[in-house]
Amino acid sequence: GPHSEPVVDRLDLRVPEGDHLAVVGPSGAGKSTLAALMAGVLRPGAGEVTIGGVPAHAADHSARVLIPQEAYVFRGTLRENLTYLSDGADPGPAVAALGAEWLVERIGGYGALVEPKALSAGERQLVALVRAYLSPARLIILDEASCHLDPAAEARVEDAFTRRGGTLVVVAHRLTSALRARRILLMDGSRTTVGSHEELISRSPLYADLAGHWQPETVP
């Protein structure tokens, strides 16, 4: 509502080209809101969000891809689902990089018709991730986009996007995603902290708690 407190407030963050940033924090801290702001899906009430100096909402659509937790798959061939952001590029290398060969085989090949309701949540995520990998976007934003994959599949996906080049922002739901990142942004209401895993462990009790570290009270 108009009188509610901002979800993201006074955040000053620069994500340089080629960075790999994980965003972590408790539920409701604003992680998905930040992802939507970065992608230009939402506009800030104050301040600015830019991609390469251009307001995020006005940046070319090919500049970035946002994959949300509930991945979008449409009724069409598998090839059409995988390549509609990349002008019909060969999906084979991306499928191999993300370990999705089994899914192509299960569906019946690239020419097979995809029925979205016939796919599991994890399968829909994998289709969307291959689509993002194939796109020309230099900024990839994954908002818990691999949460329905098992940890090994998630690790392969994130490693593939790291090798792909460009800038990767991952809203993490597993600690392992944060450990793979170069930097971690911890969101906790109006308080935000950026650093490596080791830095945040030593500086932030919240992060230590999220990471499963328990620091006993000092006994005098």
Side-chain angles (χ1 to χ4, degrees):
H3 304 296
S4 61
E5 291 293 322
V7 177
V8 179
D9 190 21
R10 294 186 297 273
L11 172 62
D12 186 6
L13 175 69
R14 180 176 182 271
V15 183
E17 167 74 18
D19 201 5
H20 179 180
L21 177 74
V23 183
V24 302
S27 178
K31 302 185 296 296
S32 291
T33 299
L34 177 62
L37 286 165
M38 286 182 166
V41 177
L42 292 178
R43 299 191 191 186
E48 61 180 5
V49 181
T50 62
I51 299 175
V54 178
H57 69 273
D60 192 281
H61 290 298
S62 64
R64 78 291 200 207
V65 170
L66 167 65
I67 303 294
Q69 181 176 342
E70 298 303 322
Y72 173 66
V73 176
F74 57 87
R75 192 175 188 275
T77 67
L78 179 59
R79 184 182 298 277
E80 289 168 340
N81 267 280
L82 297 178
T83 64
Y84 85 89
L85 294 181
S86 52
D87 293 329
D90 177 13
V95 166
L98 274 68
E101 299 98 333
W102 66 269
L103 181 57
V104 175
E105 182 177 353
R106 192 191 79 72
I107 292 174
Y110 294 118
L113 185 66
V114 174
E115 293 287 355
K117 292 183 179 179
L119 301 183
S120 69
E123 289 170 340
R124 291 194 297 272
Q125 284 189 332
L126 198 51
V127 169
L129 288 162
V130 172
R131 178 192 301 151
Y133 187 97
L134 276 169
S135 79
R138 297 296 297 168
L139 171 60
I140 302 293
I141 306 166
L142 306 181
D143 184 6
E144 298 195 15
S146 56
C147 65
H148 296 298
L149 303 181
D150 63 56
E154 180 179 67
R156 180 165 183 172
V157 163
E158 290 180 5
D159 288 343
F161 274 101
T162 300
R163 294 192 302 272
R164 173 186 179 273
T167 305
L168 179 62
V169 177
V170 178
V171 175
H173 69 287
R174 293 187 179 112
L175 175 64
T176 48
S177 290
L179 292 174
R180 284 188 286 269
R182 190 178 74 84
R183 293 192 302 159
I184 301 167
L185 170 66
L186 172 65
M187 299 186 71
D188 179 23
S190 62
R191 295 174 296 176
T192 55
T193 310
V194 179
S196 67
H197 172 74
E198 292 75 16
E199 290 169 342
L200 292 185
I201 284 287
S202 63
R203 285 162 35 193
S204 170
L206 172 61
Y207 183 80
D209 182 61
L210 290 172
H213 289 255
W214 179 66
Q215 299 293 339
E217 295 181 4
T218 301
V219 179

